[in-house]
Amino acid sequence: MSELTKLTLKAAIDGLKAKTFSSTELTEAFIGAIETANPALNAYVETTFDKARAQAAESDAKLAKGEGGALEGAPLGIKDLYCTAGVRTTACSGILENFVPTYESTVTQNLWDQGAVMLGKLNMDEFAMGSSNETSKWGNVVNPWKSRGSNAELTPGGSSGGSASAVAADLCLAATASDTGGSIRQPAAFTGTVGIKPTYGRCSRYGMVAFASSLDQAGPITKNVEDAALMLQAMCSHDVKDSTSLDLAIPDFSSFIGKSVKGLRIGIPDEYRLDGIPAEIDALWEQGIAWLKDAGAEIVRISLPHTKYALPCYYIIAPAEASSNLARYDGMRFGHRTDAAQSLTDVYELSRSEGFGREVKRRIMIGTYVLSAGFYDAYYVKALKVRRRIAEDFTKAFEACDVILTPATPSAAFELGDQAKAADPVQMYLNDVFTVTTNLAGLPGLSVPAGLDSQGLPLGLQVIGKALDEGTVLNIASVLEKAADFSAKPSKWW
């Protein structure tokens, strides 16, 4: 039964349709794997095994009749950012510790409509604020990978660390995730999985706990590119409940997998060659360029001149939006409410002080500062202008190329509790250096595993596409995946 958990999403769906095994058998295999591994990895913060068994039984009944949706009977993990009706949703924050939604997010409803099975809710950085999954109310998530010759626990990346760890450790067939500045692609790169952030507006944000509304976007983390196409197809939809949702036809993403890339132009931005980046990252990038050139693609040098301003721009806009979004948690309507209040002001101040973690407080303070009188024009308005320039850089670059290839991260996974990064939050923010630009410009981006570093840890390449051109991104990624032939898996130690 344990072999069932090693299947890809596509292989599992094919096996279910062929009646090689049942959804109940598949679900029980994952339940057993979670019970064994989760004490060590802490990927799941809430398990829904009774619900999963019931959903699996319903799927088996449909499959027996030759019916069912595109994901019928497939067990998935759901990031704790998505509201799930009747199942606790906390965004891994103390302020939402006991919040049980009465409604379903649009993305998860789409998955259930397609027959998916929910195994549970996955750990994450609190309110999706973090790059190492160390800010969660429920404790750190552990990467199933380990450095060669070391037992040190490594980060799975953030904020979707639980999703990445669960997929890498075969604790679900695939998982939902979310990406505000790289929170799908960076964890995918750190865990040898595939993660795609679609164009802003492709997936509804209704029922997703908000961090930064103009940057947040849903997407999947999967075992391979083909699975990413399947998950993205099911997650995307137009939604009248989300004013930013795009009312556009959704292409058949799977049809792009494995197509020829002959004649496609691959942009290589000079500005992504940063000082201090490990030689292994640069070497992998060059290898990716060579693979695509060998496949018939044309390599084009491009310039994204405002890239150097992307991180400071992001860390003004994102905290500003977070400060506004998180103002709703005031101890009055829902969420944590202090027992120590002596006045109405105490209710507000103490509820927020007790409920929010350190990193969330830091970002609220930054956001409140840049939105305050006297600083709004100097910081926030200026950052919006820079964001516009960054988007214009991409528009101009895409006149010369079809997609852009870059590294996914500036390093492989690092140790949990890294004191240098813990002491200086700016060092942690630098993990987003290659990913934040796509969020600022609203473009699709994908991380695909392409090699191992000298310590035996996975490294990823990032493919950035034009708005609404996820198909070409998946096409290029599938070619890189085939060329890299990345088949490494973490050694099972849990």
Side-chain angles (χ1 to χ4, degrees), residues 98-378:
N98 298 308
F99 176 59
V100 179
T102 57
Y103 57 95
E104 194 79 27
S105 77
T106 298
V107 163
T108 51
Q109 187 61 58
N110 289 347
L111 296 176
W112 312 146
D113 290 346
Q114 291 298 324
V117 171
M118 181 168 74
L119 293 167
K121 305 300 285 292
L122 293 162
N123 207 342
M124 55 179 280
D125 281 299
E126 183 183 4
F127 280 102
M129 298 182 194
S131 300
S132 62
N133 225 131
E134 294 177 277
T135 70
S136 169
K137 164 75 175 177
W138 313 117
N140 302 340
V141 179
V142 178
N143 193 329
W145 289 81
K146 292 207 171 184
S147 296
R148 189 175 291 119
S150 172
N151 283 320
E153 292 183 340
L154 303 178
T155 175
S159 65
S160 306
S163 300
S165 180
V167 172
D170 295 327
L171 305 186
C172 56
L173 288 174
T176 64
S178 67
D179 195 310
T180 306
S183 288
I184 290 175
R185 290 158 289 155
Q186 185 243 27
F190 278 6
T191 57
T193 56
V194 173
I196 181 170
K197 180 200 85 71
T199 304
Y200 182 78
R202 272 290 194 200
C203 291
S204 170
R205 292 184 296 110
Y206 177 77
M208 286 176 63
V209 180
F211 166 13
S213 299
S214 75
L215 300 165
D216 298 344
Q217 188 57 198
I221 291 179
T222 61
K223 296 182 182 182
N224 61 25
V225 176
E226 184 178 42
D227 288 359
L230 286 171
M231 278 289 287
L232 191 61
Q233 194 79 43
M235 293 171 69
C236 291
S237 68
H238 172 59
D239 183 8
V240 295
K241 297 188 291 295
D242 175 6
S243 63
T244 63
S245 174
L246 299 173
D247 188 7
L248 296 170
I250 299 168
D252 178 5
F253 294 127
S254 295
S255 68
F256 291 88
I257 304 299
K259 289 174 63 176
S260 172
V261 298
K262 189 172 182 179
L264 288 180
R265 299 164 300 168
I266 313 300
I268 308 299
D270 292 334
E271 290 79 8
Y272 278 56
R273 298 189 184 279
L274 305 178
D275 293 337
I277 295 297
E280 292 170 310
I281 300 289
D282 195 57
L284 184 69
W285 191 11
E286 291 298 330
Q287 181 62 72
I289 293 169
W291 284 330
L292 292 176
K293 190 173 182 179
D294 290 344
E298 178 187 351
I299 307 303
V300 180
R301 287 186 61 182
I302 60 170
S303 178
L304 299 170
H306 292 89
T307 295
K308 61 184 177 181
Y309 303 116
L311 269 178
C313 175
Y314 173 84
Y315 279 103
I316 290 172
I317 293 173
E321 294 187 14
S323 173
S324 177
N325 277 324
L326 272 60
R328 70 193 67 176
Y329 306 108
D330 56 8
M332 300 302 292
R333 290 156 292 185
F334 58 92
H336 173 74
R337 181 169 183 162
T338 184
D339 294 324
Q342 300 297 315
S343 67
L344 181 60
T345 300
D346 283 349
V347 173
Y348 296 147
E349 292 180 351
L350 296 177
S351 295
R352 291 169 66 80
S353 178
E354 293 167 5
F356 290 133
R358 182 178 180 182
E359 181 61 28
V360 173
K361 291 176 185 175
R362 177 187 286 123
R363 298 198 193 195
I364 289 173
M365 292 295 287
I366 293 170
T368 303
Y369 177 80
V370 300
L371 290 176
S372 62
F375 299 103
Y376 180 84
D377 290 335

Side-chain angles (χ1 to χ4, degrees), residues 3 17 23 31 46 111 124 174 195 201 301 341 353:
E3 293 299 309
K17 289 180 179 177
S23 177
I31 289 173
E46 187 95 1
L111 296 176
M124 55 179 280
R301 287 186 61 182
S353 178

